[in-house]
Amino acid sequence: MKPILLFFLTLVLIVGCKSKTEEFQSVSYAVVLTAFGDTKAFDSKGAPIGNLVKYKLNDGDTIKTGERAQAEILLATGGVIRILEKSEVIMDSKFFPQGKNSRIRLKLNMGQVFVSQSIPLKNEESLQVQTPTQIGGVRGTEFLVQADSEKSKILVGEGKVQTEWVPTNGEVPEFSESSAMVSSGNKSIADVSKRETLGLDEDEKALLKSQSTSAAEIREQAQAQIQSIMDQFNEDKERIKIDVEAFKAENQEKLNEQKETNQQELNQQKEKNRELMSETKGDKDKSTKSMQNANDSEKSEIQNKAKSEFDAIKQGLKN
């Protein structure tokens, strides 16, 4: 192996030594308050969840409701989620330690979900509902989402909902200043090809009003539980921050140790390369000298042979 190649192979050890950090932590932001009728839940691995009431929902959990079934969830943000009949919802709850941001995203594959977030969210908090055709994000509002695989509606009862159309490839877009804002009294309708904003009809207004009244009653009755969830969530966030800092410190220590080891190996390889180059130079000098001696010997032999032949010719002439 050539010395220069050995050098670069060793250098890769140092360049490739990078710390690994986790982008997010899966956390629990919600607790099931009530569940009745044909309501089923499964964890992220598909295993059935038993008694749902007071169950702390985790990232990746799925809730399915049958005909005339319903489940109500309390959020760590102080919000209330109602999953109506014939619905399927997947919890997507993340905490991002680096930015100290938390995100609650409900993936509504089909059915209806009512969201009541009367307490304005903090800057580092986000609450979203994603359907196959659009996604809605709120700061503090009440709205109802209806969805199937080809079409969805976001009915806004109070406040505003920021919306983005989800393309057919399923890639969820980020909200920006250009994202559509749907205000109270309006709805966002999206299908596989487009999204548009229209006014609510009377039936939709009545549906939102009935859902809002019952959500307010639940929130009033469950104040203690909501506070308990919020306290537990804050404790979890602090624990995650500590764990992440410890992870970073441990990872940095390992990185420094690896760098030191790599440097030692690099220095050793450099020394071997110098020795190899020195040996190669010595062999080259010997080879050059040997070739020169061989050439001189061959030249002398030719000259001697020519002289002998010339002397023989002269002798012949004399005779």
Side-chain angles (χ1 to χ4, degrees):
M1 186 179 289
K2 297 181 179 180
I4 191 67
L5 181 57
L6 289 171
F7 171 78
F8 281 113
L9 285 177
T10 308
L11 187 62
V12 168
L13 291 172
I14 292 178
V15 175
C17 185
K18 297 180 180 179
S19 62
K20 295 181 179 179
T21 57
E22 295 181 331
E23 295 181 357
F24 60 81
Q25 290 275 350
S26 296
V27 293
S28 174
Y29 290 102
V31 172
V32 178
L33 178 65
T34 64
F36 61 86
D38 182 18
T39 302
K40 299 176 182 178
F42 306 87
D43 65 19
S44 58
K45 295 181 179 179
I49 297 171
N51 186 14
L52 268 180
V53 177
K54 297 185 179 180
Y55 177 78
K56 187 191 298 185
L57 290 169
N58 298 301
D59 184 32
D61 288 350
T62 300
I63 295 180
K64 296 181 179 181
T65 56
E67 188 174 357
R68 298 183 181 180
Q70 182 173 290
E72 291 167 335
I73 300 167
L74 300 179
L75 300 178
T77 58
V80 176
I81 303 290
R82 178 175 292 123
I83 303 173
L84 302 177
E85 66 172 351
K86 300 178 182 178
S87 302
E88 178 179 315
V89 174
I90 301 175
M91 295 297 299
D92 178 3
S93 51
K94 304 286 193 299
F95 176 62
F96 302 84
Q98 186 172 2
K100 299 179 181 179
N101 299 322
S102 59
R103 184 194 72 199
I104 303 173
R105 179 181 289 169
L106 304 176
K107 295 180 179 179
L108 178 64
N109 293 330
M110 58 178 292
Q112 300 183 86
V113 166
F114 178 74
V115 179
S116 177
Q117 181 62 51
S118 60
I119 303 173
L121 298 177
K122 299 176 182 178
N123 290 333
E124 66 272 15
E125 296 175 334
S126 66
L127 174 58
Q128 305 169 358
V129 177
Q130 175 191 339
T131 76
T133 54
Q134 68 177 320
I135 183 170
V138 304
R139 303 306 305 171
T141 185
E142 288 189 342
F143 64 101
L144 186 141
V145 183
Q146 301 170 330
D148 58 31
S149 60
E150 297 182 351
K151 188 176 181 180
S152 65
K153 294 181 182 180
I154 298 178
L155 317 178
V156 184
E158 293 182 8
K160 296 180 179 180
V161 176
Q162 194 173 26
T163 62
E164 277 285 353
W165 176 69
V166 175
T168 53
N169 62 11
E171 185 176 341
V172 181
E174 296 290 336
F175 290 118
S176 65
E177 293 182 357
S178 62
S179 298
M181 296 295 293
V182 183
S183 58
S184 60
N186 293 285
K187 60 189 173 187
S188 172
I189 302 178
D191 56 24
V192 295
S193 60
K194 66 181 185 302
R195 192 215 67 82
E196 61 181 337
T197 300
L198 300 172
L200 296 174
D201 61 34
E202 294 304 315
D203 289 340
E204 291 168 337
K205 290 179 182 178
L207 175 60
L208 281 168
K209 184 176 180 180
S210 64
Q211 293 293 330
S212 176
T213 301
S214 56
E217 293 174 353
I218 291 172
R219 192 164 41 248
E220 184 66 28
Q221 297 170 3
Q223 281 298 321
Q225 288 176 269
I226 291 175
Q227 187 60 50
S228 175
I229 297 169
M230 295 174 72
D231 292 343
Q232 183 61 54
F233 170 62
N234 289 327
E235 289 179 11
D236 290 344
K237 284 201 299 185
E238 291 303 317
R239 175 186 54 76
I240 291 171
K241 291 176 187 176
I242 294 172
D243 290 345
V244 169
E245 290 304 318
F247 172 80
K248 286 182 179 179
E250 180 183 358
N251 203 40
Q252 186 62 48
E253 184 178 348
K254 291 180 179 179
L255 180 62
N256 292 337
E257 291 176 356
Q258 187 61 52
K259 282 183 177 180
E260 184 177 350
T261 300
N262 290 347
Q263 188 61 52
Q264 291 175 356
E265 293 178 359
L266 181 60
N267 292 336
Q268 292 173 0
Q269 190 61 56
K270 283 182 178 179
E271 184 61 32
K272 290 180 181 179
N273 291 346
R274 281 194 290 266
E275 292 176 0
L276 182 58
M277 292 176 71
S278 178
E279 291 175 3
T280 303
K281 185 176 183 301
D283 291 341
K284 182 179 180 181
D285 292 342
K286 289 179 182 179
S287 178
T288 302
K289 188 173 182 181
S290 297
M291 290 177 65
Q292 185 176 357
N293 291 338
N295 290 337
D296 291 343
S297 176
E298 185 178 354
K299 182 180 179 182
S300 177
E301 183 180 345
I302 293 172
Q303 289 176 342
N304 291 335
K305 183 177 180 181
K307 186 176 182 299
S308 297
E309 291 176 351
F310 183 70
D311 290 343
I313 293 172
K314 286 199 299 181
Q315 186 64 33
L317 290 173
K318 287 180 180 180
N319 294 335

